């Protein structure tokens, strides 16, 4: 059986933390250093666990300069990492130029929280379905992108087409992953949302894929974020089951996490080849160290994936808010960030938006 080290402290512990620096923090003392920015909610896939609703949905995108202004303000408040998401971000025109602009920004605080005028470059990452990655990996790398994560839920073309409902895309995604690695955007992470009855038969195939392609495969427990609200607990493949399957495939060894706010538990195999991550928001929530805040493609702030409401940052911008006023508004909103999600608990309410309109 895998050697598993005790890692994250229980959720309740978050309230105990009291700190003094000026970085953006919620009332539990959690520093918000990671921004997930959705630059479009258009997507060229119709994945069965996400785009389960109507075809005619409206799409929203702001001007690139408007997103850049929001990011600059958030960086001045302590954001260190920016992950570009969608919908599918590679569909967004002007994305390479946007990355080039973002790569000129520097953090406003040193790692110990001291304000600085000479901070570190932002950690720029992007999550994509990989369909357009082959042609954009190099330009994005040259523009300043550091890391790429590819959402890929199968390692064979047939299952891939069944889940994405897009034919003949698997080979393109594979080519995109290899091109991203060649371009220096690695180690490339491949995120797989596991759904019982759809792709849970792929666990061993993904383990072999990680070892063969030298990518980090991360399994994600299915969360109730789909369009038609069909999520049921029994469709979730929990972490303990994934570990049991992988350990039977080849003995696992747990790896240390890079930081307390990292969402994945990390493992390799007994020969050190391949890396597997497991993100278990349902069976082993990690909200106690949550460092994330999101901006949706229509410019709303979301303090949690499972928020019941949005906060209209873009509206305040349109009404002439100054950077100082918008920064004060963001601080106010973050003070009310949810402590944690309540999936599986009595009274759990699904979020006010689904994944394609949040951006992961
Ligand atoms: S569910 Fe909300 S609080 Fe928990 S980790 Fe995700 S975004 Fe953070």
């Amino acid at each position: 059986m895998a050697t598993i080290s005790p890692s994250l402290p229980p959720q309740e512990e978050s309230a105990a933390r009291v700190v003094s620096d000026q970085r953006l923090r919620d009332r539990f003392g959690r520093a918000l250093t990671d921004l997930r920015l959705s630059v479009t909610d258009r997507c060229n896939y119709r994945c069965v666990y996400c785009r389960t609703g109507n075809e005619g949905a409206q799409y929203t995108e702001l001007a690139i300069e408007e997103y850049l202004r929001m990011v600059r303000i958030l960086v001045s408040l302590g954001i260190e990492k920016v992950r570009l998401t969608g919908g599918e971000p590679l569909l967004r025109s002007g994305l390479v130029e946007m990355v080039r602009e973002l790569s000129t920004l520097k953090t406003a605080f040193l790692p110990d929280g001291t304000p600085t005028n000479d901070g570190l470059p932002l950690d720029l990452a992007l999550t994509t379905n990989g369909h357009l990655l082959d042609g954009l990996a190099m330009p994005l790398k040259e523009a300043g992108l550091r890391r790429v994560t590819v959402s890929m839920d199968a390692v064979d073309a047939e299952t891939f087409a069944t889940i994405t409902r897009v034919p003949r895309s698997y080979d393109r995604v594979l080519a995109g992953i290899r091109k991203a690695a060649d371009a220096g955007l690695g180690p490339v992470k491949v995120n797989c949302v596991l759904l019982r009855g759809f792709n849970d038969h792929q666990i061993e195939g993904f383990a072999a894929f990680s070892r063969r392609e030298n990518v980090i495969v991360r399994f994600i427990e299915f969360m109730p974020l789909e369009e038609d609200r069909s999520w049921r607990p029994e469709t979730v493949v929990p972490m303990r089951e994934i570990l049991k399957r992988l350990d039977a495939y080849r003995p696992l060894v747990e790896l240390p996490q890079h930081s307390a706010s990292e969402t994945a538990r990390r493992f390799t195999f007994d020969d050190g080849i391949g890396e597997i991550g497991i993100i278990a928001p349902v069976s082993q929530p990690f909200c106690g160290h949550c460092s994330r805040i999101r901006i949706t493609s229509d410019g709303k702030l979301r303090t949690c994936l499972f928020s019941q409401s949005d906060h209209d940052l873009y509206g305040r911008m349109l009404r002439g808010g100054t950077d100082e006023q918008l920064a004060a508004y963001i601080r106010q909103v973050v003070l009310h960030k949810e402590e944690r999600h309540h999936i599986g608990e009595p009274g759990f309410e699904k979020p006010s938006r689904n994944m394609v309109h949040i951006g992961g």
Side-chain angles (χ1 to χ4, degrees), residues 66-359:
E66 292 169 324
Y67 292 131
L68 287 171
R69 183 178 171 202
M70 292 176 180
V71 176
R72 289 188 195 104
I73 294 168
L74 279 152
V75 169
S76 75
L77 295 172
I79 290 292
E80 300 164 358
K81 291 183 186 177
V82 175
R83 177 171 291 278
L84 301 174
T85 68
E88 171 47 41
L90 298 187
L91 288 170
R92 182 66 212 243
S93 60
L95 185 73
V96 173
E97 291 69 34
M98 181 179 190
V99 168
R100 192 168 290 114
E101 276 294 315
L102 289 172
S103 70
T104 65
L105 300 182
K106 296 276 177 21
T107 59
F109 297 86
L110 298 176
D112 66 0
T114 312
T116 177
N117 294 324
D118 184 25
L120 302 168
L122 286 186
D123 179 4
L124 284 181
L126 177 140
T127 300
T128 169
N129 61 26
H131 189 78
L132 300 169
L133 186 55
D134 190 17
L136 284 166
M138 193 56 85
L140 286 167
K141 172 64 182 177
E142 288 164 355
L145 190 70
R146 289 207 188 160
R147 301 175 292 122
V148 73
T149 298
V150 177
S151 303
M152 182 186 190
D153 303 306
V155 282
D156 73 276
E158 192 187 338
T159 311
F160 189 89
T162 305
I163 291 182
T164 61
R165 296 185 286 191
V166 172
R168 295 177 301 283
S169 181
Y170 177 73
D171 292 335
R172 290 183 62 139
V173 173
L174 206 48
I177 289 171
R178 291 170 179 163
K179 182 62 71 67
D182 293 346
L185 288 168
V188 174
K189 291 178 180 161
V190 171
N191 282 0
C192 167
V193 176
L194 278 177
L195 283 86
R196 197 177 302 287
F198 269 97
N199 61 349
D200 53 325
H201 63 288
Q202 302 258 319
I203 292 174
E204 294 79 6
F206 267 105
F209 185 83
S210 165
R211 295 162 62 82
R212 188 177 66 243
E213 300 287 334
N214 189 25
V215 296
I216 300 173
V217 165
R218 296 157 4 132
F219 295 108
I220 305 178
E221 292 178 345
F222 179 36
M223 292 180 278
L225 291 162
E226 73 300 349
E227 251 170 2
D228 68 354
R229 314 301 175 161
S230 56
W231 182 90
R232 299 186 315 286
E234 52 274 20
T235 47
V236 176
V237 184
M239 172 187 276
R240 67 179 180 284
E241 186 179 332
I242 302 169
L243 286 173
K244 197 159 170 243
R245 294 266 300 272
L246 288 169
D247 206 52
Y249 167 83
R250 193 176 178 111
L252 284 170
V253 177
E254 183 158 9
L255 297 169
Q257 289 183 300
H258 294 113
S259 70
S261 65
E262 182 170 21
T263 56
R265 299 274 293 271
R266 302 173 59 226
F267 303 85
T268 185
F269 295 99
D270 59 347
D271 60 359
I273 300 174
E275 181 174 334
I276 302 287
I278 302 179
I279 301 173
V282 179
S283 68
Q284 297 204 13
F286 36 76
C287 303
H289 286 276
C290 183
S291 59
R292 290 167 291 284
I293 187 167
R294 293 173 169 85
I295 294 179
T296 61
S297 64
D298 56 348
K300 306 284 190 338
L301 277 175
R302 284 184 72 83
T303 49
C304 172
L305 259 182
F306 294 92
S307 290
Q308 292 299 317
S309 58
D310 298 332
H311 306 275
D312 193 2
L313 181 61
Y314 183 54
R316 285 172 180 258
M317 223 161 108
L318 282 182
R319 292 192 294 277
T322 65
D323 286 4
E324 292 68 31
Q325 289 166 335
L326 297 175
Y329 174 65
I330 294 169
R331 281 194 187 281
Q332 193 55 36
V333 165
V334 163
L335 278 179
H336 302 289
K337 174 178 167 73
E338 297 80 352
E339 181 175 13
R340 59 190 182 83
H341 69 65
H342 297 276
I343 300 172
E345 295 172 19
F348 166 69
E349 281 183 60
K350 294 196 176 174
S352 56
R353 281 181 186 235
N354 52 62
M355 186 60 102
V356 75
H357 296 296
I358 299 173

